[in-house]
Amino acid sequence: MADDLGDEWWTQGDNSGVSEVEEDTQPLAEEQPKKSTSKKRKGEKQAQDNTTKKKKKTVNKECFITQERSEEKGDKESNKNKKRRKKKKTITDVLTSSEPVPGSPADLLSFLKSHHSQTRSVIEQEELTLSESCFLSSNDLTHSLSSYLKEVCPKWAKIQKQHTQTRSVVLLIICGSALRTIDLIKQLIAFKGQTKVLKLFAKHIKVDEQMKLLSKGVTHIAVGTPGRICALLEKEGLTTQGLRFLVLDWNYRDQKHRRMVDIPEVKGDLLKMMDQGLIQSCREGTVKIGLF
């Protein structure tokens, strides 16, 4: 039996056991490096994810900073524009900074030409030209209204007696507002004597009422605004037949340092009024213009 089984049967059994153990341990040894490699890959992926997250965060921060910078630039530009707007001078700023200069006939002529140069032909503009004989002496800013009228109308007592026409006046004074009209009428006390003075403005007085006053009796002096006088001329409630003197309150400045020709509404009415036969009467020599 021992011969049949072989002399070293126990060694074969031991070898087979060892081989089985080795076979069992080999796959474990092979599985361990796989796990380590998978862990390394997971670690690399996590590192990559962290780097991408950091990049995203930095990109977002940079975008936010650029937005803030652009907003700051926009604010600075808007502030600059506001400063530029503040630097623009208005009419009142120009007039307050400049010294008052007495008006002259050249100022009135340039005023008429600058307005009509865009709407009238060259031939029509020639009809607006007025010679020096059409003007009275201008105020040099030293006269009151009474003293100025005494200088330019030395024969006023004789002239007023000769005036007998209704719906007409001898002296027409043009100013920019109703309050200025009342002020000028008060200044006429030393000049007017017993002559009749009529105020012609739109405040609290209707056109029909003023037309009745002009048609009832003889009026020597009228003081008013260009808008109301223009309306009376259009309705023929006031005519230029007996008119001898046209005085413009040219040098007066209101609280905003504006002259009569610096106010757009008054300026438009004044130009319209001058077209109602006044320029033609000046060219014919029946009316003379004075700048007070």
Side-chain angles (χ1 to χ4, degrees):
M1 294 292 291
D3 293 332
D4 293 332
L5 293 169
D7 294 334
E8 297 175 355
W9 60 270
W10 59 90
T11 58
Q12 292 177 358
D14 292 335
N15 290 330
S16 65
V18 171
S19 63
E20 287 178 10
V21 171
E22 288 177 356
E23 287 176 1
D24 293 331
T25 57
Q26 282 178 357
L28 292 171
E30 289 176 358
E31 287 178 2
Q32 286 178 355
K34 285 182 181 180
K35 288 181 180 179
S36 63
T37 53
S38 63
K39 287 181 181 179
K40 286 181 182 179
R41 288 178 182 176
K42 287 182 181 179
E44 289 176 357
K45 286 182 180 180
Q46 288 178 356
Q48 288 178 356
D49 293 335
N50 291 326
T51 53
T52 53
K53 285 181 181 179
K54 287 180 181 179
K55 286 181 180 179
K56 287 181 180 179
K57 287 181 181 178
T58 54
V59 170
N60 290 329
K61 287 181 181 178
E62 287 176 358
C63 294
F64 184 71
I65 291 166
T66 53
Q67 286 178 359
E68 287 181 349
R69 287 178 181 175
S70 63
E71 288 177 357
E72 289 177 357
K73 287 181 180 178
D75 294 334
K76 288 180 181 179
E77 289 176 357
S78 63
N79 291 327
K80 286 181 181 179
N81 292 327
K82 287 180 181 178
K83 288 180 181 178
R84 288 176 183 174
R85 289 177 184 174
K86 288 180 181 178
K87 287 180 181 178
K88 288 182 179 179
K89 291 184 178 180
T90 59
I91 294 172
T92 55
D93 294 333
V94 174
L95 293 173
T96 50
S97 62
S98 62
E99 295 182 357
V101 179
S104 63
D107 295 332
L108 179 61
L109 292 175
S110 63
F111 169 69
L112 294 172
K113 286 181 181 179
S114 63
H115 175 72
H116 294 295
S117 61
Q118 298 178 355
T119 57
R120 296 190 180 185
S121 63
V122 178
I123 297 170
E124 290 175 342
Q125 290 179 27
E126 290 179 357
E127 296 178 355
L128 301 174
T129 56
L130 299 172
S131 61
E132 293 182 0
S133 61
C134 298
F135 291 92
L136 300 168
S137 60
S138 301
N139 182 18
D140 57 357
L141 303 180
T142 60
H143 286 285
S144 64
L145 182 59
S146 294
S147 64
Y148 173 72
L149 293 176
K150 285 179 182 179
E151 183 180 345
V152 297
C153 307
K155 298 179 180 180
W156 175 249
K158 184 179 179 180
I159 293 169
Q160 69 171 355
K161 289 179 180 179
Q162 294 175 352
H163 179 66
T164 57
Q165 296 177 356
T166 58
R167 296 189 302 146
S168 181
V169 295
V170 181
L171 173 61
L172 182 61
I173 303 172
I174 309 299
C175 58
S177 66
L179 292 174
R180 180 62 177 167
T181 300
I182 296 169
D183 187 18
L184 290 176
I185 290 172
K186 291 178 181 178
Q187 294 182 26
L188 284 171
I189 294 172
F191 172 77
K192 68 176 183 178
Q194 296 179 353
T195 58
K196 185 179 179 181
V197 181
L198 188 63
K199 53 186 178 183
L200 301 177
F201 52 79
K203 196 170 184 179
H204 308 302
I205 304 173
K206 294 181 180 180
V207 180
D208 295 335
E209 293 178 1
Q210 292 172 345
M211 289 174 67
K212 288 178 182 179
L213 292 172
L214 288 166
S215 62
K216 280 182 180 180
V218 178
T219 304
H220 301 90
I221 302 173
V223 186
T225 57
R228 179 46 59 92
I229 293 169
C230 185
L232 290 168
L233 290 171
E234 287 178 351
K235 294 185 176 183
E236 296 182 354
L238 177 67
T239 63
T240 59
Q241 292 178 359
L243 185 63
R244 297 283 300 275
F245 305 103
L246 176 65
V247 177
L248 303 178
D249 191 23
W250 189 272
N251 297 314
Y252 173 75
R253 297 174 186 268
D254 61 5
Q255 294 179 352
K256 295 181 179 180
H257 301 275
R258 298 177 301 178
R259 299 172 301 171
M260 180 172 59
V261 293
D262 295 324
I263 303 169
E265 295 177 356
V266 180
K267 176 182 175 181
D269 292 334
L270 178 62
L271 291 164
K272 191 177 179 181
M273 184 198 73
M274 295 296 287
D275 287 335
Q276 297 290 327
L278 291 175
I279 294 176
Q280 185 63 30
S281 298
C282 292
R283 287 175 62 86
E284 292 173 356
T286 58
V287 178
K288 289 190 176 183
I289 301 174
L291 301 179
F292 172 67

